[in-house]
Amino acid sequence: MSISLTPDQERFIQTKLQAGKYRSAEEALEIALRLLDEYDRADAEWVEDVREKIDAAILASDQTPPIDRIVSGRRNFPSLFEESN
């Protein structure tokens, strides 16, 4: 496979090589691709975590009475909602 870099990308890599940060452009690209893979995996884990939280919230809301029922209960049965001191 052959890839083309933009002039900015080439300058970026050259700057890193000149600073002694990497031994070759290949090494810099290998690390960049490894980081991209880690980012993609973390992103997928985050999406899965959010989906689980949404599913849990939906389940909780299915098991919770609507607010208008609570308000109606407070009005019709105030003694049930009184705080004991």
Side-chain angles (χ1 to χ4, degrees):
M1 176 189 297
S2 176
I3 62 169
S4 298
L5 300 175
T6 66
D8 285 342
Q9 292 167 332
E10 286 184 28
R11 276 191 296 280
F12 179 79
I13 290 175
Q14 285 300 325
T15 300
K16 298 298 180 185
L17 293 174
Q18 290 169 357
K21 193 99 168 137
Y22 306 101
R23 292 180 295 247
S24 67
E26 290 80 11
E27 180 186 14
L29 290 173
E30 181 181 331
I31 291 170
L33 291 172
R34 191 173 338 123
L35 289 171
L36 179 60
D37 184 49
E38 287 177 22
Y39 174 84
D40 287 345
R41 289 174 195 253
D43 186 55
E45 289 173 9
W46 180 84
V47 167
E48 183 60 29
D49 185 48
V50 168
R51 282 188 179 134
E52 288 174 6
K53 289 177 180 177
I54 290 171
D55 289 344
I58 290 170
L59 181 62
S61 71
D62 288 343
Q63 297 172 357
T64 304
I67 291 177
D68 61 341
R69 260 201 238 156
I70 294 171
V71 170
S72 174
R74 286 181 190 266
R75 186 174 35 242
N76 295 327
F77 306 99
S79 62
L80 294 176
F81 294 91
E82 289 177 359
E83 292 185 29
S84 58
N85 293 330

Coordinates of all heavy atoms in Angstrom, one line a residue:
M1 N 0.9 -1.2 0.0 CA 0.0 0.0 0.0 C 0.9 1.2 0.0 O 1.9 1.3 0.7 CB -0.9 0.0 1.2 CG -1.7 1.3 1.3 SD -2.6 1.5 2.9 CE -3.7 0.1 2.9
S2 N 0.4 2.2 -0.7 CA 1.2 3.5 -0.8 C 0.2 4.6 -0.3 O -1.0 4.6 -0.7 CB 1.6 3.7 -2.2 OG 2.2 5.0 -2.3
I3 N 0.7 5.5 0.5 CA -0.1 6.6 1.0 C 0.6 7.9 0.6 O 1.8 8.0 0.5 CB -0.4 6.5 2.5 CG1 1.0 6.6 3.3 CG2 -1.1 5.2 2.9 CD1 0.8 6.8 4.8
S4 N -0.2 8.9 0.5 CA 0.3 10.3 0.3 C 0.0 11.1 1.5 O -1.1 11.0 2.1 CB -0.4 10.9 -0.9 OG -0.1 10.1 -2.1
L5 N 0.9 11.9 1.9 CA 0.7 12.8 3.0 C 0.6 14.2 2.5 O 1.2 14.6 1.5 CB 1.9 12.7 4.0 CG 2.2 11.4 4.7 CD1 3.4 11.5 5.5 CD2 1.0 10.9 5.5
T6 N -0.2 15.0 3.2 CA -0.2 16.4 2.9 C 1.1 17.1 3.3 O 1.8 16.5 4.2 CB -1.4 17.1 3.6 OG1 -1.1 17.1 5.0 CG2 -2.7 16.4 3.3
P7 N 1.4 18.2 2.8 CA 2.6 18.9 3.2 C 2.6 19.2 4.7 O 3.7 19.0 5.4 CB 2.6 20.2 2.4 CG 1.8 19.9 1.2 CD 0.8 18.9 1.6
D8 N 1.5 19.5 5.3 CA 1.4 19.7 6.8 C 1.7 18.4 7.5 O 2.4 18.5 8.5 CB 0.0 20.2 7.2 CG -0.2 21.7 6.9 OD1 0.8 22.4 6.6 OD2 -1.3 22.1 6.9
Q9 N 1.2 17.3 7.1 CA 1.5 16.0 7.7 C 3.0 15.7 7.6 O 3.6 15.2 8.5 CB 0.6 14.9 7.1 CG -0.9 15.1 7.4 CD -1.7 14.2 6.6 OE1 -1.4 13.8 5.4 NE2 -2.9 13.9 7.1
E10 N 3.5 15.9 6.4 CA 5.0 15.7 6.2 C 5.8 16.5 7.2 O 6.7 16.0 7.8 CB 5.4 15.9 4.8 CG 4.9 14.8 3.8 CD 5.4 15.1 2.4 OE1 6.5 15.7 2.3 OE2 4.8 14.6 1.5
R11 N 5.5 17.8 7.3 CA 6.2 18.7 8.2 C 6.1 18.2 9.6 O 7.0 18.2 10.4 CB 5.7 20.1 8.1 CG 6.4 20.9 6.9 CD 6.1 22.4 7.0 NE 4.6 22.7 6.9 CZ 4.0 22.8 5.7 NH1 4.7 22.5 4.6 NH2 2.7 23.0 5.6
F12 N 4.9 17.8 10.0 CA 4.6 17.3 11.4 C 5.5 16.1 11.7 O 6.2 16.1 12.7 CB 3.2 16.9 11.5 CG 2.8 16.4 12.9 CD1 2.6 17.3 13.9 CD2 2.7 15.0 13.1 CE1 2.3 16.8 15.2 CE2 2.3 14.6 14.3 CZ 2.2 15.4 15.4
I13 N 5.6 15.2 10.8 CA 6.4 14.0 11.0 C 7.9 14.3 11.0 O 8.6 13.9 11.8 CB 6.1 12.9 9.9 CG1 4.7 12.3 10.2 CG2 7.1 11.8 10.0 CD1 4.2 11.3 9.2
Q14 N 8.3 15.2 10.1 CA 9.7 15.6 10.0 C 10.1 16.3 11.3 O 11.2 16.1 11.9 CB 10.0 16.6 8.8 CG 10.0 15.8 7.5 CD 11.1 14.8 7.5 OE1 12.2 15.0 8.1 NE2 10.8 13.7 6.8
T15 N 9.2 17.1 11.9 CA 9.5 17.8 13.1 C 9.7 16.8 14.3 O 10.6 16.9 15.1 CB 8.3 18.8 13.5 OG1 8.2 19.7 12.5 CG2 8.6 19.5 14.8
K16 N 8.9 15.8 14.3 CA 9.0 14.7 15.3 C 10.3 13.9 15.1 O 11.0 13.6 16.1 CB 7.8 13.8 15.3 CG 6.5 14.4 15.6 CD 6.5 15.0 17.0 CE 5.1 15.6 17.3 NZ 5.1 16.3 18.6
L17 N 10.7 13.7 13.9 CA 11.9 12.9 13.6 C 13.1 13.8 14.0 O 14.1 13.3 14.6 CB 12.0 12.5 12.1 CG 11.0 11.5 11.6 CD1 11.1 11.4 10.1 CD2 11.1 10.2 12.3
Q18 N 13.1 15.1 13.7 CA 14.2 15.9 14.0 C 14.4 16.1 15.5 O 15.5 16.3 16.0 CB 14.1 17.3 13.3 CG 14.2 17.2 11.8 CD 13.8 18.5 11.1 OE1 13.3 19.4 11.7 NE2 14.0 18.5 9.8
A19 N 13.3 16.0 16.2 CA 13.3 16.2 17.7 C 13.8 14.9 18.3 O 14.0 14.8 19.5 CB 12.0 16.5 18.2
G20 N 14.0 13.8 17.5 CA 14.4 12.6 18.1 C 13.4 11.8 18.7 O 13.6 10.8 19.4
K21 N 12.1 12.2 18.5 CA 11.0 11.5 19.2 C 10.8 10.1 18.6 O 10.4 9.2 19.3 CB 9.7 12.4 19.0 CG 8.6 12.0 19.8 CD 8.5 12.9 21.0 CE 7.2 12.7 21.7 NZ 7.3 12.6 23.1
Y22 N 11.0 10.0 17.3 CA 10.9 8.7 16.6 C 12.1 8.4 15.7 O 12.7 9.4 15.2 CB 9.6 8.7 15.7 CG 8.4 9.1 16.6 CD1 7.8 10.3 16.5 CD2 7.8 8.1 17.4 CE1 6.7 10.7 17.3 CE2 6.7 8.5 18.2 CZ 6.2 9.8 18.1 OH 5.1 10.1 18.9
R23 N 12.3 7.2 15.4 CA 13.5 6.8 14.6 C 13.2 6.9 13.1 O 14.1 7.1 12.3 CB 14.0 5.4 14.9 CG 14.6 5.3 16.3 CD 15.0 3.9 16.6 NE 13.9 3.0 16.6 CZ 13.4 2.4 17.6 NH1 14.1 2.5 18.8 NH2 12.4 1.6 17.6
S24 N 11.9 6.8 12.7 CA 11.5 6.8 11.3 C 10.1 7.2 11.1 O 9.3 7.2 12.1 CB 11.7 5.4 10.7 OG 10.8 4.5 11.3
A25 N 9.8 7.6 9.9 CA 8.4 7.9 9.6 C 7.5 6.7 9.8 O 6.3 6.9 10.3 CB 8.3 8.5 8.2
E26 N 8.0 5.6 9.5 CA 7.2 4.3 9.7 C 6.8 4.1 11.1 O 5.7 3.7 11.5 CB 8.0 3.1 9.1 CG 8.1 3.1 7.6 CD 9.2 4.0 7.1 OE1 10.0 4.5 7.8 OE2 9.2 4.2 5.8
E27 N 7.8 4.4 12.0 CA 7.6 4.2 13.4 C 6.5 5.2 13.9 O 5.6 4.8 14.6 CB 8.8 4.4 14.3 CG 8.6 4.2 15.8 CD 9.8 4.6 16.6 OE1 10.8 5.2 16.1 OE2 9.8 4.3 17.8
A28 N 6.6 6.4 13.5 CA 5.6 7.4 13.8 C 4.2 7.1 13.3 O 3.2 7.2 14.1 CB 6.0 8.8 13.3
L29 N 4.1 6.6 12.1 CA 2.8 6.2 11.6 C 2.3 4.9 12.3 O 1.1 4.8 12.5 CB 2.9 5.9 10.1 CG 3.1 7.2 9.2 CD1 3.4 6.9 7.8 CD2 1.9 8.1 9.4
E30 N 3.2 4.0 12.6 CA 2.8 2.8 13.4 C 2.1 3.2 14.7 O 1.1 2.7 15.1 CB 4.0 1.9 13.6 CG 3.6 0.6 14.3 CD 4.8 -0.3 14.5 OE1 5.8 -0.2 13.7 OE2 4.8 -1.0 15.6
I31 N 2.8 4.1 15.4 CA 2.2 4.6 16.7 C 0.9 5.3 16.5 O 0.0 5.1 17.2 CB 3.3 5.4 17.4 CG1 4.4 4.5 17.9 CG2 2.7 6.1 18.6 CD1 5.7 5.3 18.4
A32 N 0.9 6.1 15.4 CA -0.4 6.9 15.2 C -1.5 5.9 14.9 O -2.6 6.1 15.4 CB -0.2 7.8 14.0
L33 N -1.2 4.8 14.1 CA -2.3 3.9 13.8 C -2.7 3.1 15.0 O -3.9 2.8 15.2 CB -1.8 2.9 12.7 CG -1.7 3.6 11.3 CD1 -1.1 2.7 10.3 CD2 -3.0 4.1 10.8
R34 N -1.8 2.8 15.9 CA -2.1 2.1 17.1 C -3.0 3.0 18.0 O -4.0 2.5 18.6 CB -0.8 1.7 17.9 CG -1.1 0.8 19.0 CD 0.2 0.2 19.7 NE 1.4 0.2 19.0 CZ 2.5 0.8 19.4 NH1 2.6 1.4 20.5 NH2 3.6 0.8 18.6
L35 N -2.7 4.2 18.1 CA -3.5 5.2 18.9 C -4.9 5.3 18.3 O -5.9 5.4 19.0 CB -2.8 6.5 19.0 CG -1.6 6.6 19.9 CD1 -0.9 7.9 19.7 CD2 -1.9 6.3 21.3
L36 N -5.0 5.3 17.0 CA -6.3 5.4 16.3 C -7.1 4.2 16.6 O -8.3 4.3 16.9 CB -6.1 5.5 14.8 CG -7.4 5.6 13.9 CD1 -8.2 6.8 14.4 CD2 -7.0 5.6 12.5
D37 N -6.5 3.0 16.6 CA -7.2 1.8 17.0 C -7.6 1.8 18.5 O -8.8 1.5 18.7 CB -6.2 0.6 16.8 CG -6.9 -0.8 17.1 OD1 -8.1 -1.0 16.6 OD2 -6.4 -1.6 17.8
E38 N -6.8 2.3 19.4 CA -7.2 2.4 20.8 C -8.4 3.4 20.9 O -9.3 3.2 21.7 CB -6.0 2.9 21.6 CG -5.0 1.9 21.8 CD -3.8 2.4 22.6 OE1 -3.9 3.5 23.3 OE2 -2.7 1.8 22.5
Y39 N -8.3 4.5 20.1 CA -9.4 5.5 20.2 C -10.7 4.9 19.7 O -11.8 5.1 20.3 CB -9.0 6.7 19.3 CG -10.1 7.7 19.1 CD1 -10.3 8.7 20.1 CD2 -11.0 7.7 18.0 CE1 -11.4 9.6 20.0 CE2 -12.0 8.6 17.9 CZ -12.2 9.5 18.9 OH -13.2 10.4 18.8
D40 N -10.6 4.1 18.6 CA -11.8 3.5 18.1 C -12.4 2.5 19.1 O -13.6 2.4 19.3 CB -11.5 2.7 16.8 CG -11.3 3.7 15.6 OD1 -11.7 4.9 15.7 OD2 -10.8 3.3 14.6
R41 N -11.6 1.7 19.7 CA -12.0 0.8 20.7 C -12.7 1.5 21.9 O -13.7 1.1 22.4 CB -10.9 -0.1 21.2 CG -10.4 -1.1 20.2 CD -9.2 -1.8 20.7 NE -8.5 -2.5 19.7 CZ -8.5 -3.8 19.5 NH1 -9.1 -4.6 20.4 NH2 -7.8 -4.4 18.5
A42 N -12.0 2.5 22.4 CA -12.6 3.3 23.5 C -13.9 3.9 23.1 O -14.9 4.0 23.9 CB -11.6 4.4 24.0
D43 N -14.0 4.4 21.9 CA -15.3 5.0 21.4 C -16.4 3.9 21.4 O -17.5 4.2 21.9 CB -15.1 5.6 20.0 CG -16.3 6.4 19.6 OD1 -16.8 7.3 20.3 OD2 -16.8 6.1 18.4
A44 N -16.1 2.7 20.9 CA -17.1 1.7 20.9 C -17.5 1.3 22.3 O -18.7 1.0 22.5 CB -16.5 0.5 20.1
E45 N -16.5 1.2 23.2 CA -16.9 0.9 24.6 C -17.8 2.0 25.2 O -18.7 1.7 25.9 CB -15.6 0.7 25.4 CG -14.8 -0.5 25.1 CD -13.5 -0.6 25.8 OE1 -13.2 0.3 26.7 OE2 -12.7 -1.5 25.5
W46 N -17.5 3.2 24.9 CA -18.3 4.3 25.4 C -19.7 4.2 24.9 O -20.7 4.4 25.6 CB -17.7 5.7 25.0 CG -18.5 6.8 25.5 CD1 -18.4 7.4 26.7 CD2 -19.5 7.6 24.7 NE1 -19.3 8.5 26.8 CE2 -20.0 8.6 25.6 CE3 -20.0 7.5 23.5 CZ2 -21.0 9.5 25.2 CZ3 -21.0 8.3 23.0 CH2 -21.5 9.3 23.9
V47 N -19.9 3.9 23.6 CA -21.2 3.8 23.0 C -22.0 2.7 23.6 O -23.1 2.8 24.0 CB -21.1 3.6 21.4 CG1 -22.4 3.1 20.9 CG2 -20.6 4.8 20.7
E48 N -21.3 1.5 23.9 CA -22.0 0.4 24.5 C -22.4 0.8 26.0 O -23.5 0.4 26.4 CB -21.0 -0.8 24.5 CG -21.7 -2.0 25.1 CD -22.9 -2.5 24.4 OE1 -23.1 -2.3 23.2 OE2 -23.8 -3.1 25.1
D49 N -21.5 1.5 26.7 CA -21.8 1.9 28.0 C -23.0 2.8 28.1 O -23.9 2.7 28.9 CB -20.6 2.6 28.6 CG -20.8 3.0 30.1 OD1 -21.3 2.2 30.9 OD2 -20.5 4.2 30.4
V50 N -23.1 3.8 27.1 CA -24.2 4.7 27.0 C -25.5 3.9 26.7 O -26.6 4.2 27.3 CB -24.0 5.8 26.0 CG1 -25.2 6.6 25.7 CG2 -22.9 6.7 26.5
R51 N -25.4 3.0 25.8 CA -26.6 2.2 25.4 C -27.1 1.4 26.7 O -28.3 1.3 26.9 CB -26.3 1.2 24.3 CG -26.2 1.8 23.0 CD -26.1 0.7 21.9 NE -26.1 1.4 20.6 CZ -25.2 1.1 19.6 NH1 -24.3 0.2 19.8 NH2 -25.3 1.8 18.5
E52 N -26.2 0.8 27.5 CA -26.6 0.1 28.7 C -27.3 1.0 29.6 O -28.3 0.7 30.3 CB -25.4 -0.6 29.3 CG -24.9 -1.7 28.5 CD -23.6 -2.3 29.1 OE1 -23.1 -1.8 30.2 OE2 -23.0 -3.2 28.5
K53 N -26.8 2.3 29.8 CA -27.4 3.2 30.7 C -28.8 3.7 30.2 O -29.7 3.8 31.0 CB -26.5 4.4 30.9 CG -25.2 4.1 31.7 CD -24.3 5.2 31.9 CE -23.1 4.8 32.7 NZ -22.1 5.9 32.8
I54 N -28.9 3.8 28.9 CA -30.2 4.2 28.4 C -31.2 3.1 28.6 O -32.3 3.3 29.0 CB -30.1 4.5 26.9 CG1 -29.3 5.9 26.7 CG2 -31.4 4.6 26.2 CD1 -29.0 6.2 25.3
D55 N -30.8 1.8 28.3 CA -31.7 0.7 28.6 C -32.1 0.6 30.0 O -33.3 0.3 30.3 CB -31.0 -0.6 28.1 CG -30.8 -0.8 26.6 OD1 -31.5 0.0 25.9 OD2 -30.0 -1.6 26.2
A56 N -31.1 0.8 30.9 CA -31.5 0.8 32.4 C -32.5 1.9 32.7 O -33.4 1.7 33.5 CB -30.2 0.9 33.2
A57 N -32.3 3.1 32.1 CA -33.2 4.2 32.4 C -34.6 3.9 31.9 O -35.6 4.2 32.5 CB -32.6 5.5 31.8
I58 N -34.6 3.3 30.7 CA -35.9 2.9 30.1 C -36.6 1.9 31.0 O -37.8 2.0 31.3 CB -35.8 2.4 28.7 CG1 -35.4 3.6 27.8 CG2 -37.1 1.8 28.2 CD1 -35.0 3.2 26.4
L59 N -35.9 0.9 31.5 CA -36.5 -0.1 32.4 C -37.0 0.5 33.6 O -38.1 0.2 34.1 CB -35.4 -1.2 32.7 CG -35.9 -2.3 33.6 CD1 -37.0 -3.1 32.9 CD2 -34.7 -3.2 33.8
A60 N -36.2 1.4 34.2 CA -36.6 2.1 35.5 C -37.8 2.9 35.2 O -38.7 3.0 36.1 CB -35.4 3.0 36.0
S61 N -37.9 3.6 34.1 CA -39.1 4.5 33.8 C -40.3 3.6 33.6 O -41.4 4.0 33.9 CB -38.8 5.4 32.7 OG -38.8 4.7 31.4
D62 N -40.1 2.4 33.1 CA -41.3 1.5 32.9 C -41.8 1.0 34.2 O -43.0 0.7 34.3 CB -40.9 0.3 32.0 CG -40.6 0.6 30.6 OD1 -41.1 1.7 30.1 OD2 -40.0 -0.2 29.9
Q63 N -41.0 1.0 35.2 CA -41.4 0.5 36.5 C -41.7 1.6 37.5 O -42.0 1.4 38.7 CB -40.3 -0.3 37.1 CG -40.0 -1.6 36.3 CD -38.7 -2.3 36.7 OE1 -38.0 -1.9 37.6 NE2 -38.5 -3.4 36.1
T64 N -41.7 2.9 37.0 CA -42.0 4.0 37.9 C -43.3 4.6 37.4 O -43.6 4.9 36.3 CB -40.9 5.1 37.7 OG1 -39.6 4.5 38.0 CG2 -41.1 6.3 38.6
P65 N -44.2 4.9 38.4 CA -45.5 5.5 38.0 C -45.3 6.9 37.4 O -44.4 7.6 37.8 CB -46.3 5.6 39.3 CG -45.2 5.6 40.4 CD -44.1 4.8 39.8
P66 N -46.2 7.3 36.5 CA -46.1 8.7 36.0 C -46.2 9.7 37.1 O -46.8 9.5 38.1 CB -47.3 8.7 35.0 CG -47.7 7.3 34.7 CD -47.3 6.5 36.0
I67 N -45.6 10.8 36.8 CA -45.6 11.9 37.8 C -47.0 12.4 38.1 O -47.3 12.7 39.3 CB -44.7 13.1 37.4 CG1 -43.3 12.6 37.4 CG2 -44.9 14.3 38.2 CD1 -42.3 13.7 36.9
D68 N -47.9 12.4 37.2 CA -49.2 12.9 37.4 C -49.9 12.0 38.4 O -50.7 12.4 39.2 CB -50.1 13.1 36.2 CG -50.2 11.8 35.4 OD1 -49.4 10.8 35.6 OD2 -51.1 11.7 34.5
R69 N -49.6 10.7 38.5 CA -50.2 9.8 39.5 C -49.6 10.1 40.9 O -50.4 10.1 41.9 CB -49.8 8.3 39.2 CG -50.9 7.6 38.5 CD -50.7 6.1 38.7 NE -50.6 5.5 37.4 CZ -50.0 4.4 37.2 NH1 -49.4 3.7 38.1 NH2 -50.0 3.9 36.0
I70 N -48.4 10.5 41.0 CA -47.8 10.9 42.2 C -48.4 12.2 42.8 O -48.8 12.3 43.9 CB -46.3 11.0 42.1 CG1 -45.6 9.7 41.8 CG2 -45.7 11.6 43.4 CD1 -44.2 9.7 41.5
V71 N -48.6 13.1 41.9 CA -49.2 14.4 42.2 C -50.6 14.2 42.7 O -51.1 14.7 43.7 CB -49.1 15.4 41.1 CG1 -50.0 16.6 41.4 CG2 -47.7 15.8 40.8
S72 N -51.3 13.3 41.9 CA -52.7 13.0 42.3 C -52.8 12.3 43.6 O -53.6 12.6 44.5 CB -53.4 12.1 41.2 OG -54.6 11.7 41.6
G73 N -51.8 11.4 43.9 CA -51.8 10.7 45.2 C -51.5 11.6 46.3 O -52.1 11.5 47.4
R74 N -50.6 12.6 46.1 CA -50.3 13.5 47.2 C -51.6 14.4 47.5 O -51.8 14.7 48.7 CB -49.2 14.5 46.8 CG -47.9 13.8 46.8 CD -46.8 14.9 46.4 NE -45.5 14.2 46.2 CZ -44.6 14.1 47.1 NH1 -44.8 14.6 48.3 NH2 -43.4 13.5 46.9
R75 N -52.3 14.7 46.5 CA -53.5 15.5 46.7 C -54.6 14.7 47.4 O -55.3 15.2 48.3 CB -54.0 16.1 45.4 CG -55.1 17.1 45.4 CD -55.5 17.7 44.1 NE -55.4 16.8 43.0 CZ -54.5 17.1 41.9 NH1 -53.8 18.1 41.9 NH2 -54.5 16.2 40.9
N76 N -54.8 13.5 46.9 CA -55.9 12.6 47.4 C -55.6 11.9 48.7 O -56.5 11.5 49.5 CB -56.4 11.7 46.3 CG -57.0 12.4 45.1 OD1 -57.6 13.4 45.3 ND2 -56.8 11.8 44.0
F77 N -54.3 11.6 48.9 CA -53.9 10.9 50.1 C -52.7 11.5 50.8 O -51.6 11.0 50.9 CB -53.5 9.4 49.7 CG -54.6 8.7 49.0 CD1 -54.6 8.6 47.6 CD2 -55.7 8.1 49.7 CE1 -55.5 7.9 46.9 CE2 -56.7 7.5 49.0 CZ -56.6 7.4 47.6
P78 N -52.9 12.8 51.3 CA -51.8 13.5 51.8 C -51.1 12.8 53.0 O -49.9 13.0 53.2 CB -52.4 14.8 52.2 CG -53.9 14.6 52.3 CD -54.2 13.5 51.4
S79 N -51.8 12.1 53.8 CA -51.2 11.4 54.9 C -50.2 10.4 54.5 O -49.2 10.1 55.3 CB -52.3 10.8 55.8 OG -53.0 9.8 55.1
L80 N -50.3 9.8 53.4 CA -49.3 8.8 52.9 C -48.0 9.5 52.5 O -47.0 8.8 52.5 CB -49.9 8.1 51.6 CG -51.1 7.2 51.9 CD1 -51.5 6.6 50.5 CD2 -50.7 6.1 52.8
F81 N -48.0 10.8 52.2 CA -46.9 11.5 51.8 C -46.2 12.4 52.8 O -45.3 13.1 52.6 CB -47.2 12.3 50.5 CG -47.5 11.4 49.3 CD1 -48.8 11.0 49.1 CD2 -46.5 10.9 48.5 CE1 -49.1 10.2 48.0 CE2 -46.8 10.0 47.5 CZ -48.1 9.7 47.2
E82 N -46.8 12.4 54.0 CA -46.3 13.2 55.1 C -45.0 12.7 55.6 O -44.8 11.4 55.7 CB -47.3 13.3 56.3 CG -48.5 14.1 56.0 CD -49.5 14.1 57.1 OE1 -49.2 13.5 58.2 OE2 -50.5 14.7 57.0
E83 N -44.0 13.5 55.8 CA -42.8 13.1 56.4 C -42.9 13.0 57.9 O -43.5 13.8 58.6 CB -41.7 14.1 56.1 CG -41.3 14.2 54.6 CD -40.2 15.1 54.3 OE1 -39.3 15.3 55.2 OE2 -40.2 15.7 53.2
S84 N -42.4 11.9 58.4 CA -42.4 11.7 59.9 C -41.2 12.3 60.5 O -40.1 12.2 60.0 CB -42.5 10.2 60.2 OG -41.4 9.5 59.7
N85 N -41.4 13.0 61.6 CA -40.3 13.7 62.3 C -39.9 12.9 63.5 O -40.5 12.3 64.2 CB -40.7 15.1 62.7 CG -40.8 15.9 61.4 OD1 -40.2 15.7 60.4 ND2 -41.7 16.9 61.5

